[in-house]
Amino acid sequence: MSMLSQIALGVGVNLLTIVAVVVMLEFAGFCLSGNFVEILSNRAYVRAGVITAALVIWVLCALSVAIWAWALMFALLDLFPNIEESMYFSLATFTTLGFGDVLSPQSWRIFCGMAAVNGLLLFGLVTAFLIQQIQRHHLLSPT
């Protein structure tokens, strides 16, 4: 499967899981409130779920931009044989997964490690953003 096909498939699976998890989390939150009739009739709950899903999808897009930026920098520096390997290394490093099957050139280890630092910082930042926005939109929704 080509790199672009893998990216497209990955995006599709991400979108599907984001929507599914948001729906399930919203439903769980409503069930815990114990007010099932209100769940079915209140549009504010649906609006909150849509906003949450949209925020998560937006964050996924933003993180994808950062991962692509690292991949393009690795490619421009000619650290890997092709863009696919640069993207794979960028994704594995940015998420700190680090499979270890593709390694950076020894002379670029510090620079490549910065991609992991960047990933950690950005994941923390977007987590704080998501929590803030979800709380804001749920608290502003009429109950």
Side-chain angles (χ1 to χ4, degrees):
M1 183 179 279
S2 73
M3 180 185 75
L4 292 177
S5 296
Q6 290 179 48
I7 290 170
L9 183 61
V11 166
V13 173
N14 269 288
L15 293 175
L16 177 68
T17 58
I18 288 167
V19 170
V21 168
V22 167
V23 167
M24 293 174 76
L25 289 174
E26 288 294 323
F27 185 73
F30 303 141
C31 288
L32 291 172
S33 74
N35 200 345
F36 299 109
V37 174
E38 188 175 341
I39 294 168
L40 300 173
S41 63
N42 193 334
R43 288 184 178 207
Y45 290 133
V46 174
R47 179 181 173 275
V50 169
I51 289 170
T52 301
L55 284 170
V56 172
I57 290 167
W58 183 254
V59 163
L60 179 63
C61 291
L63 291 173
S64 295
V65 168
I67 292 166
W68 269 104
W70 281 100
L72 292 173
M73 182 56 66
F74 295 148
L76 287 171
L77 293 169
D78 204 29
L79 301 185
F80 301 100
N82 54 50
I83 188 67
E84 182 176 5
E85 198 159 317
S86 295
M87 176 54 125
Y88 175 77
F89 181 82
S90 175
L91 184 59
T93 303
F94 191 85
T95 60
T96 68
L97 183 58
F99 286 119
D101 55 338
V102 175
L103 301 174
S104 65
Q106 189 163 351
S107 60
W108 286 95
R109 288 185 302 183
I110 302 296
F111 178 74
C112 292
M114 297 305 292
V117 171
N118 187 233
L120 286 170
L121 291 172
L122 291 182
F123 278 112
L125 179 65
V126 300
T127 299
F129 171 79
L130 282 173
I131 290 169
Q132 176 193 34
Q133 294 303 314
I134 290 168
Q135 286 177 338
R136 179 174 160 236
H137 289 286
H138 281 268
L139 292 175
L140 293 177
S141 298
T143 56

